[in-house]
Amino acid sequence: MTGDRWYGRPAASRTPAGPMLGAAAVAGAGLAALAVAVATRRPALVAADTALARRAHQFAVRHPGVATTAGRLTHLGDGRVVVGVLTATAAVVARRRRWRALTFVAAAPAAGTLLCRLVRARVARTRPDRALRIADGYAFPSNHATNATLAAAVVAGVAWSEVPAPSRPGVLAGAVAAPAVVGATRVLLGVHWPSDVLAGWLVALTAVPAVAALARARRTGRA
């Protein structure tokens, strides 16, 4: 039975590799365009980033409770939290002998993390200078936004076929909400420009479907 399933999904309902690869290509193109705009300091992007970051900073300063809450919620994108979530997911799929899903759980975050590091080193963007907490390293893309989106996308991809159809909107909502919340906290805390967060989302949305598509294509080729 497990040999005829992909991420727990019956063979007849598997998602073809084409749409997944297309989604990865669109996200990758968006990431590349954004990276070029940041690296070349396009005036429109700089102006938008500066205005949004200033408003977020002013809002956080005027509302200390919001800043405190943001400081707590931002930990959802911490590396140790994401590793814990992915480890738990891996343990579940391993117990169910879903070996291809286990490979996906390991490979997709690894690909996303590598892509994030490569882009960071290439763009080498500095962080905003009015942060409410200490953060080190380059700003673009946001590690926290990348981490949260990688974890959310991987968990949602594994869980999608395991839950009843009426529950799938909840899975999708959770997969969207977690990265959105983490991304918002990074801007509110002043440790990232808004485009850093957008880039983090795009990194994950490039890596996860790309890995899924490659694995799906490989499986189809063996069939």
mmCIF file with all atom_site columns, all heavy atoms in Angstrom, residues 190-219:
data_model
loop_
_atom_site.group_PDB
_atom_site.id
_atom_site.type_symbol
_atom_site.label_atom_id
_atom_site.label_alt_id
_atom_site.label_comp_id
_atom_site.label_asym_id
_atom_site.label_entity_id
_atom_site.label_seq_id
_atom_site.pdbx_PDB_ins_code
_atom_site.Cartn_x
_atom_site.Cartn_y
_atom_site.Cartn_z
_atom_site.occupancy
_atom_site.B_iso_or_equiv
_atom_site.pdbx_formal_charge
_atom_site.auth_seq_id
_atom_site.auth_comp_id
_atom_site.auth_asym_id
_atom_site.auth_atom_id
_atom_site.pdbx_PDB_model_num
ATOM 1   N N   . GLY A 1 190 ? 11.461 45.689 14.011  1.00 0.00 ? 190 GLY A N   1
ATOM 2   C CA  . GLY A 1 190 ? 12.479 46.513 13.368  1.00 0.00 ? 190 GLY A CA  1
ATOM 3   C C   . GLY A 1 190 ? 13.748 45.789 12.970  1.00 0.00 ? 190 GLY A C   1
ATOM 4   O O   . GLY A 1 190 ? 14.770 46.422 12.701  1.00 0.00 ? 190 GLY A O   1
ATOM 5   N N   . VAL A 1 191 ? 13.703 44.460 12.905  1.00 0.00 ? 191 VAL A N   1
ATOM 6   C CA  . VAL A 1 191 ? 14.912 43.708 12.564  1.00 0.00 ? 191 VAL A CA  1
ATOM 7   C C   . VAL A 1 191 ? 14.978 43.356 11.077  1.00 0.00 ? 191 VAL A C   1
ATOM 8   O O   . VAL A 1 191 ? 15.990 42.822 10.609  1.00 0.00 ? 191 VAL A O   1
ATOM 9   C CB  . VAL A 1 191 ? 15.031 42.423 13.416  1.00 0.00 ? 191 VAL A CB  1
ATOM 10  C CG1 . VAL A 1 191 ? 15.252 42.782 14.873  1.00 0.00 ? 191 VAL A CG1 1
ATOM 11  C CG2 . VAL A 1 191 ? 13.795 41.547 13.259  1.00 0.00 ? 191 VAL A CG2 1
ATOM 12  N N   . HIS A 1 192 ? 13.906 43.651 10.342  1.00 0.00 ? 192 HIS A N   1
ATOM 13  C CA  . HIS A 1 192 ? 13.883 43.375 8.902   1.00 0.00 ? 192 HIS A CA  1
ATOM 14  C C   . HIS A 1 192 ? 13.081 44.434 8.171   1.00 0.00 ? 192 HIS A C   1
ATOM 15  O O   . HIS A 1 192 ? 12.118 44.998 8.711   1.00 0.00 ? 192 HIS A O   1
ATOM 16  C CB  . HIS A 1 192 ? 13.260 42.004 8.606   1.00 0.00 ? 192 HIS A CB  1
ATOM 17  C CG  . HIS A 1 192 ? 14.188 40.863 8.815   1.00 0.00 ? 192 HIS A CG  1
ATOM 18  N ND1 . HIS A 1 192 ? 15.291 40.628 8.011   1.00 0.00 ? 192 HIS A ND1 1
ATOM 19  C CD2 . HIS A 1 192 ? 14.190 39.868 9.734   1.00 0.00 ? 192 HIS A CD2 1
ATOM 20  C CE1 . HIS A 1 192 ? 15.928 39.549 8.436   1.00 0.00 ? 192 HIS A CE1 1
ATOM 21  N NE2 . HIS A 1 192 ? 15.276 39.075 9.482   1.00 0.00 ? 192 HIS A NE2 1
ATOM 22  N N   . TRP A 1 193 ? 13.469 44.660 6.935   1.00 0.00 ? 193 TRP A N   1
ATOM 23  C CA  . TRP A 1 193 ? 12.656 45.431 6.011   1.00 0.00 ? 193 TRP A CA  1
ATOM 24  C C   . TRP A 1 193 ? 11.519 44.534 5.516   1.00 0.00 ? 193 TRP A C   1
ATOM 25  O O   . TRP A 1 193 ? 11.677 43.306 5.479   1.00 0.00 ? 193 TRP A O   1
ATOM 26  C CB  . TRP A 1 193 ? 13.494 45.890 4.817   1.00 0.00 ? 193 TRP A CB  1
ATOM 27  C CG  . TRP A 1 193 ? 14.719 46.672 5.168   1.00 0.00 ? 193 TRP A CG  1
ATOM 28  C CD1 . TRP A 1 193 ? 16.007 46.224 5.183   1.00 0.00 ? 193 TRP A CD1 1
ATOM 29  C CD2 . TRP A 1 193 ? 14.771 48.045 5.567   1.00 0.00 ? 193 TRP A CD2 1
ATOM 30  N NE1 . TRP A 1 193 ? 16.860 47.229 5.559   1.00 0.00 ? 193 TRP A NE1 1
ATOM 31  C CE2 . TRP A 1 193 ? 16.130 48.370 5.802   1.00 0.00 ? 193 TRP A CE2 1
ATOM 32  C CE3 . TRP A 1 193 ? 13.804 49.048 5.747   1.00 0.00 ? 193 TRP A CE3 1
ATOM 33  C CZ2 . TRP A 1 193 ? 16.542 49.631 6.199   1.00 0.00 ? 193 TRP A CZ2 1
ATOM 34  C CZ3 . TRP A 1 193 ? 14.214 50.312 6.144   1.00 0.00 ? 193 TRP A CZ3 1
ATOM 35  C CH2 . TRP A 1 193 ? 15.566 50.594 6.362   1.00 0.00 ? 193 TRP A CH2 1
ATOM 36  N N   . PRO A 1 194 ? 10.385 45.110 5.119   1.00 0.00 ? 194 PRO A N   1
ATOM 37  C CA  . PRO A 1 194 ? 9.292  44.275 4.608   1.00 0.00 ? 194 PRO A CA  1
ATOM 38  C C   . PRO A 1 194 ? 9.704  43.379 3.446   1.00 0.00 ? 194 PRO A C   1
ATOM 39  O O   . PRO A 1 194 ? 9.258  42.228 3.353   1.00 0.00 ? 194 PRO A O   1
ATOM 40  C CB  . PRO A 1 194 ? 8.247  45.314 4.180   1.00 0.00 ? 194 PRO A CB  1
ATOM 41  C CG  . PRO A 1 194 ? 8.478  46.468 5.099   1.00 0.00 ? 194 PRO A CG  1
ATOM 42  C CD  . PRO A 1 194 ? 9.969  46.525 5.284   1.00 0.00 ? 194 PRO A CD  1
ATOM 43  N N   . SER A 1 195 ? 10.555 43.873 2.554   1.00 0.00 ? 195 SER A N   1
ATOM 44  C CA  . SER A 1 195 ? 10.966 43.038 1.414   1.00 0.00 ? 195 SER A CA  1
ATOM 45  C C   . SER A 1 195 ? 11.830 41.860 1.849   1.00 0.00 ? 195 SER A C   1
ATOM 46  O O   . SER A 1 195 ? 11.892 40.842 1.145   1.00 0.00 ? 195 SER A O   1
ATOM 47  C CB  . SER A 1 195 ? 11.708 43.877 0.371   1.00 0.00 ? 195 SER A CB  1
ATOM 48  O OG  . SER A 1 195 ? 12.828 44.525 0.931   1.00 0.00 ? 195 SER A OG  1
ATOM 49  N N   . ASP A 1 196 ? 12.487 41.956 3.003   1.00 0.00 ? 196 ASP A N   1
ATOM 50  C CA  . ASP A 1 196 ? 13.226 40.805 3.536   1.00 0.00 ? 196 ASP A CA  1
ATOM 51  C C   . ASP A 1 196 ? 12.274 39.660 3.848   1.00 0.00 ? 196 ASP A C   1
ATOM 52  O O   . ASP A 1 196 ? 12.568 38.485 3.601   1.00 0.00 ? 196 ASP A O   1
ATOM 53  C CB  . ASP A 1 196 ? 13.970 41.177 4.822   1.00 0.00 ? 196 ASP A CB  1
ATOM 54  C CG  . ASP A 1 196 ? 14.972 42.296 4.633   1.00 0.00 ? 196 ASP A CG  1
ATOM 55  O OD1 . ASP A 1 196 ? 15.439 42.502 3.509   1.00 0.00 ? 196 ASP A OD1 1
ATOM 56  O OD2 . ASP A 1 196 ? 15.281 42.967 5.647   1.00 0.00 ? 196 ASP A OD2 1
ATOM 57  N N   . VAL A 1 197 ? 11.146 40.031 4.431   1.00 0.00 ? 197 VAL A N   1
ATOM 58  C CA  . VAL A 1 197 ? 10.134 39.031 4.797   1.00 0.00 ? 197 VAL A CA  1
ATOM 59  C C   . VAL A 1 197 ? 9.539  38.405 3.539   1.00 0.00 ? 197 VAL A C   1
ATOM 60  O O   . VAL A 1 197 ? 9.384  37.180 3.451   1.00 0.00 ? 197 VAL A O   1
ATOM 61  C CB  . VAL A 1 197 ? 9.037  39.684 5.659   1.00 0.00 ? 197 VAL A CB  1
ATOM 62  C CG1 . VAL A 1 197 ? 7.858  38.732 5.846   1.00 0.00 ? 197 VAL A CG1 1
ATOM 63  C CG2 . VAL A 1 197 ? 9.610  40.101 7.012   1.00 0.00 ? 197 VAL A CG2 1
ATOM 64  N N   . LEU A 1 198 ? 9.193  39.253 2.570   1.00 0.00 ? 198 LEU A N   1
ATOM 65  C CA  . LEU A 1 198 ? 8.656  38.742 1.311   1.00 0.00 ? 198 LEU A CA  1
ATOM 66  C C   . LEU A 1 198 ? 9.641  37.777 0.663   1.00 0.00 ? 198 LEU A C   1
ATOM 67  O O   . LEU A 1 198 ? 9.254  36.709 0.161   1.00 0.00 ? 198 LEU A O   1
ATOM 68  C CB  . LEU A 1 198 ? 8.357  39.911 0.369   1.00 0.00 ? 198 LEU A CB  1
ATOM 69  C CG  . LEU A 1 198 ? 7.868  39.547 -1.036  1.00 0.00 ? 198 LEU A CG  1
ATOM 70  C CD1 . LEU A 1 198 ? 6.610  38.689 -0.973  1.00 0.00 ? 198 LEU A CD1 1
ATOM 71  C CD2 . LEU A 1 198 ? 7.619  40.808 -1.860  1.00 0.00 ? 198 LEU A CD2 1
ATOM 72  N N   . ALA A 1 199 ? 10.912 38.119 0.698   1.00 0.00 ? 199 ALA A N   1
ATOM 73  C CA  . ALA A 1 199 ? 11.927 37.230 0.127   1.00 0.00 ? 199 ALA A CA  1
ATOM 74  C C   . ALA A 1 199 ? 11.988 35.902 0.866   1.00 0.00 ? 199 ALA A C   1
ATOM 75  O O   . ALA A 1 199 ? 12.156 34.846 0.251   1.00 0.00 ? 199 ALA A O   1
ATOM 76  C CB  . ALA A 1 199 ? 13.294 37.911 0.157   1.00 0.00 ? 199 ALA A CB  1
ATOM 77  N N   . GLY A 1 200 ? 11.846 35.935 2.189   1.00 0.00 ? 200 GLY A N   1
ATOM 78  C CA  . GLY A 1 200 ? 11.840 34.688 2.956   1.00 0.00 ? 200 GLY A CA  1
ATOM 79  C C   . GLY A 1 200 ? 10.691 33.789 2.555   1.00 0.00 ? 200 GLY A C   1
ATOM 80  O O   . GLY A 1 200 ? 10.862 32.564 2.403   1.00 0.00 ? 200 GLY A O   1
ATOM 81  N N   . TRP A 1 201 ? 9.529  34.380 2.367   1.00 0.00 ? 201 TRP A N   1
ATOM 82  C CA  . TRP A 1 201 ? 8.381  33.588 1.898   1.00 0.00 ? 201 TRP A CA  1
ATOM 83  C C   . TRP A 1 201 ? 8.671  32.977 0.528   1.00 0.00 ? 201 TRP A C   1
ATOM 84  O O   . TRP A 1 201 ? 8.386  31.802 0.291   1.00 0.00 ? 201 TRP A O   1
ATOM 85  C CB  . TRP A 1 201 ? 7.135  34.466 1.809   1.00 0.00 ? 201 TRP A CB  1
ATOM 86  C CG  . TRP A 1 201 ? 6.633  34.988 3.123   1.00 0.00 ? 201 TRP A CG  1
ATOM 87  C CD1 . TRP A 1 201 ? 6.856  34.453 4.370   1.00 0.00 ? 201 TRP A CD1 1
ATOM 88  C CD2 . TRP A 1 201 ? 5.814  36.153 3.331   1.00 0.00 ? 201 TRP A CD2 1
ATOM 89  N NE1 . TRP A 1 201 ? 6.230  35.210 5.335   1.00 0.00 ? 201 TRP A NE1 1
ATOM 90  C CE2 . TRP A 1 201 ? 5.585  36.258 4.730   1.00 0.00 ? 201 TRP A CE2 1
ATOM 91  C CE3 . TRP A 1 201 ? 5.274  37.107 2.482   1.00 0.00 ? 201 TRP A CE3 1
ATOM 92  C CZ2 . TRP A 1 201 ? 4.819  37.284 5.279   1.00 0.00 ? 201 TRP A CZ2 1
ATOM 93  C CZ3 . TRP A 1 201 ? 4.503  38.142 3.026   1.00 0.00 ? 201 TRP A CZ3 1
ATOM 94  C CH2 . TRP A 1 201 ? 4.277  38.221 4.417   1.00 0.00 ? 201 TRP A CH2 1
ATOM 95  N N   . LEU A 1 202 ? 9.249  33.791 -0.364  1.00 0.00 ? 202 LEU A N   1
ATOM 96  C CA  . LEU A 1 202 ? 9.514  33.320 -1.721  1.00 0.00 ? 202 LEU A CA  1
ATOM 97  C C   . LEU A 1 202 ? 10.579 32.227 -1.757  1.00 0.00 ? 202 LEU A C   1
ATOM 98  O O   . LEU A 1 202 ? 10.513 31.324 -2.594  1.00 0.00 ? 202 LEU A O   1
ATOM 99  C CB  . LEU A 1 202 ? 9.929  34.495 -2.606  1.00 0.00 ? 202 LEU A CB  1
ATOM 100 C CG  . LEU A 1 202 ? 8.812  35.493 -2.941  1.00 0.00 ? 202 LEU A CG  1
ATOM 101 C CD1 . LEU A 1 202 ? 9.388  36.701 -3.671  1.00 0.00 ? 202 LEU A CD1 1
ATOM 102 C CD2 . LEU A 1 202 ? 7.720  34.837 -3.769  1.00 0.00 ? 202 LEU A CD2 1
ATOM 103 N N   . VAL A 1 203 ? 11.559 32.309 -0.866  1.00 0.00 ? 203 VAL A N   1
ATOM 104 C CA  . VAL A 1 203 ? 12.568 31.247 -0.790  1.00 0.00 ? 203 VAL A CA  1
ATOM 105 C C   . VAL A 1 203 ? 11.891 29.905 -0.526  1.00 0.00 ? 203 VAL A C   1
ATOM 106 O O   . VAL A 1 203 ? 12.150 28.905 -1.220  1.00 0.00 ? 203 VAL A O   1
ATOM 107 C CB  . VAL A 1 203 ? 13.598 31.544 0.314   1.00 0.00 ? 203 VAL A CB  1
ATOM 108 C CG1 . VAL A 1 203 ? 14.419 30.293 0.639   1.00 0.00 ? 203 VAL A CG1 1
ATOM 109 C CG2 . VAL A 1 203 ? 14.530 32.674 -0.103  1.00 0.00 ? 203 VAL A CG2 1
ATOM 110 N N   . ALA A 1 204 ? 11.038 29.877 0.479   1.00 0.00 ? 204 ALA A N   1
ATOM 111 C CA  . ALA A 1 204 ? 10.356 28.628 0.828   1.00 0.00 ? 204 ALA A CA  1
ATOM 112 C C   . ALA A 1 204 ? 9.414  28.168 -0.279  1.00 0.00 ? 204 ALA A C   1
ATOM 113 O O   . ALA A 1 204 ? 9.323  26.975 -0.578  1.00 0.00 ? 204 ALA A O   1
ATOM 114 C CB  . ALA A 1 204 ? 9.591  28.805 2.138   1.00 0.00 ? 204 ALA A CB  1
ATOM 115 N N   . LEU A 1 205 ? 8.711  29.123 -0.894  1.00 0.00 ? 205 LEU A N   1
ATOM 116 C CA  . LEU A 1 205 ? 7.762  28.772 -1.951  1.00 0.00 ? 205 LEU A CA  1
ATOM 117 C C   . LEU A 1 205 ? 8.464  28.397 -3.252  1.00 0.00 ? 205 LEU A C   1
ATOM 118 O O   . LEU A 1 205 ? 7.821  27.892 -4.175  1.00 0.00 ? 205 LEU A O   1
ATOM 119 C CB  . LEU A 1 205 ? 6.804  29.937 -2.186  1.00 0.00 ? 205 LEU A CB  1
ATOM 120 C CG  . LEU A 1 205 ? 5.874  30.238 -1.008  1.00 0.00 ? 205 LEU A CG  1
ATOM 121 C CD1 . LEU A 1 205 ? 5.009  31.450 -1.305  1.00 0.00 ? 205 LEU A CD1 1
ATOM 122 C CD2 . LEU A 1 205 ? 5.008  29.028 -0.666  1.00 0.00 ? 205 LEU A CD2 1
ATOM 123 N N   . THR A 1 206 ? 9.762  28.637 -3.318  1.00 0.00 ? 206 THR A N   1
ATOM 124 C CA  . THR A 1 206 ? 10.567 28.114 -4.415  1.00 0.00 ? 206 THR A CA  1
ATOM 125 C C   . THR A 1 206 ? 11.060 26.712 -4.095  1.00 0.00 ? 206 THR A C   1
ATOM 126 O O   . THR A 1 206 ? 10.943 25.785 -4.913  1.00 0.00 ? 206 THR A O   1
ATOM 127 C CB  . THR A 1 206 ? 11.783 29.030 -4.684  1.00 0.00 ? 206 THR A CB  1
ATOM 128 O OG1 . THR A 1 206 ? 11.332 30.337 -5.027  1.00 0.00 ? 206 THR A OG1 1
ATOM 129 C CG2 . THR A 1 206 ? 12.640 28.475 -5.814  1.00 0.00 ? 206 THR A CG2 1
ATOM 130 N N   . ALA A 1 207 ? 11.590 26.543 -2.906  1.00 0.00 ? 207 ALA A N   1
ATOM 131 C CA  . ALA A 1 207 ? 12.240 25.283 -2.549  1.00 0.00 ? 207 ALA A CA  1
ATOM 132 C C   . ALA A 1 207 ? 11.256 24.130 -2.362  1.00 0.00 ? 207 ALA A C   1
ATOM 133 O O   . ALA A 1 207 ? 11.490 23.021 -2.869  1.00 0.00 ? 207 ALA A O   1
ATOM 134 C CB  . ALA A 1 207 ? 13.060 25.477 -1.276  1.00 0.00 ? 207 ALA A CB  1
ATOM 135 N N   . VAL A 1 208 ? 10.183 24.370 -1.625  1.00 0.00 ? 208 VAL A N   1
ATOM 136 C CA  . VAL A 1 208 ? 9.283  23.256 -1.273  1.00 0.00 ? 208 VAL A CA  1
ATOM 137 C C   . VAL A 1 208 ? 8.623  22.634 -2.505  1.00 0.00 ? 208 VAL A C   1
ATOM 138 O O   . VAL A 1 208 ? 8.704  21.411 -2.704  1.00 0.00 ? 208 VAL A O   1
ATOM 139 C CB  . VAL A 1 208 ? 8.253  23.700 -0.229  1.00 0.00 ? 208 VAL A CB  1
ATOM 140 C CG1 . VAL A 1 208 ? 7.225  22.597 0.012   1.00 0.00 ? 208 VAL A CG1 1
ATOM 141 C CG2 . VAL A 1 208 ? 8.940  24.069 1.079   1.00 0.00 ? 208 VAL A CG2 1
ATOM 142 N N   . PRO A 1 209 ? 7.962  23.406 -3.368  1.00 0.00 ? 209 PRO A N   1
ATOM 143 C CA  . PRO A 1 209 ? 7.368  22.762 -4.545  1.00 0.00 ? 209 PRO A CA  1
ATOM 144 C C   . PRO A 1 209 ? 8.405  22.213 -5.517  1.00 0.00 ? 209 PRO A C   1
ATOM 145 O O   . PRO A 1 209 ? 8.131  21.228 -6.213  1.00 0.00 ? 209 PRO A O   1
ATOM 146 C CB  . PRO A 1 209 ? 6.528  23.877 -5.186  1.00 0.00 ? 209 PRO A CB  1
ATOM 147 C CG  . PRO A 1 209 ? 7.037  25.139 -4.638  1.00 0.00 ? 209 PRO A CG  1
ATOM 148 C CD  . PRO A 1 209 ? 7.587  24.828 -3.284  1.00 0.00 ? 209 PRO A CD  1
ATOM 149 N N   . ALA A 1 210 ? 9.598  22.826 -5.563  1.00 0.00 ? 210 ALA A N   1
ATOM 150 C CA  . ALA A 1 210 ? 10.639 22.296 -6.450  1.00 0.00 ? 210 ALA A CA  1
ATOM 151 C C   . ALA A 1 210 ? 11.068 20.899 -6.004  1.00 0.00 ? 210 ALA A C   1
ATOM 152 O O   . ALA A 1 210 ? 11.183 19.985 -6.830  1.00 0.00 ? 210 ALA A O   1
ATOM 153 C CB  . ALA A 1 210 ? 11.840 23.239 -6.472  1.00 0.00 ? 210 ALA A CB  1
ATOM 154 N N   . VAL A 1 211 ? 11.288 20.737 -4.720  1.00 0.00 ? 211 VAL A N   1
ATOM 155 C CA  . VAL A 1 211 ? 11.670 19.422 -4.199  1.00 0.00 ? 211 VAL A CA  1
ATOM 156 C C   . VAL A 1 211 ? 10.543 18.421 -4.407  1.00 0.00 ? 211 VAL A C   1
ATOM 157 O O   . VAL A 1 211 ? 10.775 17.275 -4.825  1.00 0.00 ? 211 VAL A O   1
ATOM 158 C CB  . VAL A 1 211 ? 12.040 19.519 -2.704  1.00 0.00 ? 211 VAL A CB  1
ATOM 159 C CG1 . VAL A 1 211 ? 12.194 18.130 -2.086  1.00 0.00 ? 211 VAL A CG1 1
ATOM 160 C CG2 . VAL A 1 211 ? 13.329 20.314 -2.527  1.00 0.00 ? 211 VAL A CG2 1
ATOM 161 N N   . ALA A 1 212 ? 9.317  18.838 -4.139  1.00 0.00 ? 212 ALA A N   1
ATOM 162 C CA  . ALA A 1 212 ? 8.175  17.946 -4.333  1.00 0.00 ? 212 ALA A CA  1
ATOM 163 C C   . ALA A 1 212 ? 8.039  17.541 -5.792  1.00 0.00 ? 212 ALA A C   1
ATOM 164 O O   . ALA A 1 212 ? 7.768  16.377 -6.112  1.00 0.00 ? 212 ALA A O   1
ATOM 165 C CB  . ALA A 1 212 ? 6.892  18.630 -3.850  1.00 0.00 ? 212 ALA A CB  1
ATOM 166 N N   . ALA A 1 213 ? 8.238  18.493 -6.708  1.00 0.00 ? 213 ALA A N   1
ATOM 167 C CA  . ALA A 1 213 ? 8.120  18.193 -8.134  1.00 0.00 ? 213 ALA A CA  1
ATOM 168 C C   . ALA A 1 213 ? 9.207  17.238 -8.595  1.00 0.00 ? 213 ALA A C   1
ATOM 169 O O   . ALA A 1 213 ? 8.941  16.297 -9.363  1.00 0.00 ? 213 ALA A O   1
ATOM 170 C CB  . ALA A 1 213 ? 8.183  19.493 -8.938  1.00 0.00 ? 213 ALA A CB  1
ATOM 171 N N   . LEU A 1 214 ? 10.430 17.464 -8.146  1.00 0.00 ? 214 LEU A N   1
ATOM 172 C CA  . LEU A 1 214 ? 11.529 16.583 -8.547  1.00 0.00 ? 214 LEU A CA  1
ATOM 173 C C   . LEU A 1 214 ? 11.315 15.166 -8.029  1.00 0.00 ? 214 LEU A C   1
ATOM 174 O O   . LEU A 1 214 ? 11.541 14.183 -8.744  1.00 0.00 ? 214 LEU A O   1
ATOM 175 C CB  . LEU A 1 214 ? 12.855 17.147 -8.033  1.00 0.00 ? 214 LEU A CB  1
ATOM 176 C CG  . LEU A 1 214 ? 13.325 18.434 -8.709  1.00 0.00 ? 214 LEU A CG  1
ATOM 177 C CD1 . LEU A 1 214 ? 14.555 18.980 -7.997  1.00 0.00 ? 214 LEU A CD1 1
ATOM 178 C CD2 . LEU A 1 214 ? 13.627 18.197 -10.181 1.00 0.00 ? 214 LEU A CD2 1
ATOM 179 N N   . ALA A 1 215 ? 10.851 15.064 -6.795  1.00 0.00 ? 215 ALA A N   1
ATOM 180 C CA  . ALA A 1 215 ? 10.587 13.742 -6.232  1.00 0.00 ? 215 ALA A CA  1
ATOM 181 C C   . ALA A 1 215 ? 9.434  13.062 -6.961  1.00 0.00 ? 215 ALA A C   1
ATOM 182 O O   . ALA A 1 215 ? 9.473  11.858 -7.218  1.00 0.00 ? 215 ALA A O   1
ATOM 183 C CB  . ALA A 1 215 ? 10.280 13.871 -4.745  1.00 0.00 ? 215 ALA A CB  1
ATOM 184 N N   . ARG A 1 216 ? 8.426  13.852 -7.295  1.00 0.00 ? 216 ARG A N   1
ATOM 185 C CA  . ARG A 1 216 ? 7.275  13.289 -8.018  1.00 0.00 ? 216 ARG A CA  1
ATOM 186 C C   . ARG A 1 216 ? 7.683  12.817 -9.405  1.00 0.00 ? 216 ARG A C   1
ATOM 187 O O   . ARG A 1 216 ? 7.291  11.742 -9.854  1.00 0.00 ? 216 ARG A O   1
ATOM 188 C CB  . ARG A 1 216 ? 6.182  14.358 -8.124  1.00 0.00 ? 216 ARG A CB  1
ATOM 189 C CG  . ARG A 1 216 ? 4.945  13.915 -8.905  1.00 0.00 ? 216 ARG A CG  1
ATOM 190 C CD  . ARG A 1 216 ? 4.158  12.871 -8.110  1.00 0.00 ? 216 ARG A CD  1
ATOM 191 N NE  . ARG A 1 216 ? 3.062  12.352 -8.910  1.00 0.00 ? 216 ARG A NE  1
ATOM 192 C CZ  . ARG A 1 216 ? 3.124  11.233 -9.619  1.00 0.00 ? 216 ARG A CZ  1
ATOM 193 N NH1 . ARG A 1 216 ? 4.243  10.534 -9.637  1.00 0.00 ? 216 ARG A NH1 1
ATOM 194 N NH2 . ARG A 1 216 ? 2.089  10.813 -10.295 1.00 0.00 ? 216 ARG A NH2 1
ATOM 195 N N   . ALA A 1 217 ? 8.502  13.629 -10.084 1.00 0.00 ? 217 ALA A N   1
ATOM 196 C CA  . ALA A 1 217 ? 8.958  13.250 -11.427 1.00 0.00 ? 217 ALA A CA  1
ATOM 197 C C   . ALA A 1 217 ? 9.808  11.985 -11.376 1.00 0.00 ? 217 ALA A C   1
ATOM 198 O O   . ALA A 1 217 ? 9.709  11.116 -12.242 1.00 0.00 ? 217 ALA A O   1
ATOM 199 C CB  . ALA A 1 217 ? 9.739  14.399 -12.052 1.00 0.00 ? 217 ALA A CB  1
ATOM 200 N N   . ARG A 1 218 ? 10.641 11.885 -10.352 1.00 0.00 ? 218 ARG A N   1
ATOM 201 C CA  . ARG A 1 218 ? 11.479 10.704 -10.198 1.00 0.00 ? 218 ARG A CA  1
ATOM 202 C C   . ARG A 1 218 ? 10.627 9.469  -9.960  1.00 0.00 ? 218 ARG A C   1
ATOM 203 O O   . ARG A 1 218 ? 10.870 8.406  -10.528 1.00 0.00 ? 218 ARG A O   1
ATOM 204 C CB  . ARG A 1 218 ? 12.441 10.906 -9.038  1.00 0.00 ? 218 ARG A CB  1
ATOM 205 C CG  . ARG A 1 218 ? 13.397 9.752  -8.824  1.00 0.00 ? 218 ARG A CG  1
ATOM 206 C CD  . ARG A 1 218 ? 14.308 10.023 -7.633  1.00 0.00 ? 218 ARG A CD  1
ATOM 207 N NE  . ARG A 1 218 ? 15.218 8.900  -7.417  1.00 0.00 ? 218 ARG A NE  1
ATOM 208 C CZ  . ARG A 1 218 ? 16.004 8.791  -6.393  1.00 0.00 ? 218 ARG A CZ  1
ATOM 209 N NH1 . ARG A 1 218 ? 16.043 9.752  -5.478  1.00 0.00 ? 218 ARG A NH1 1
ATOM 210 N NH2 . ARG A 1 218 ? 16.801 7.760  -6.250  1.00 0.00 ? 218 ARG A NH2 1
ATOM 211 N N   . ARG A 1 219 ? 9.597  9.628  -9.144  1.00 0.00 ? 219 ARG A N   1
ATOM 212 C CA  . ARG A 1 219 ? 8.702  8.509  -8.861  1.00 0.00 ? 219 ARG A CA  1
ATOM 213 C C   . ARG A 1 219 ? 7.950  8.090  -10.123 1.00 0.00 ? 219 ARG A C   1
ATOM 214 O O   . ARG A 1 219 ? 7.812  6.906  -10.420 1.00 0.00 ? 219 ARG A O   1
ATOM 215 C CB  . ARG A 1 219 ? 7.698  8.929  -7.763  1.00 0.00 ? 219 ARG A CB  1
ATOM 216 C CG  . ARG A 1 219 ? 6.545  7.953  -7.540  1.00 0.00 ? 219 ARG A CG  1
ATOM 217 C CD  . ARG A 1 219 ? 7.047  6.605  -7.104  1.00 0.00 ? 219 ARG A CD  1
ATOM 218 N NE  . ARG A 1 219 ? 5.935  5.674  -6.893  1.00 0.00 ? 219 ARG A NE  1
ATOM 219 C CZ  . ARG A 1 219 ? 6.073  4.372  -6.783  1.00 0.00 ? 219 ARG A CZ  1
ATOM 220 N NH1 . ARG A 1 219 ? 7.276  3.837  -6.848  1.00 0.00 ? 219 ARG A NH1 1
ATOM 221 N NH2 . ARG A 1 219 ? 5.028  3.604  -6.590  1.00 0.00 ? 219 ARG A NH2 1
#
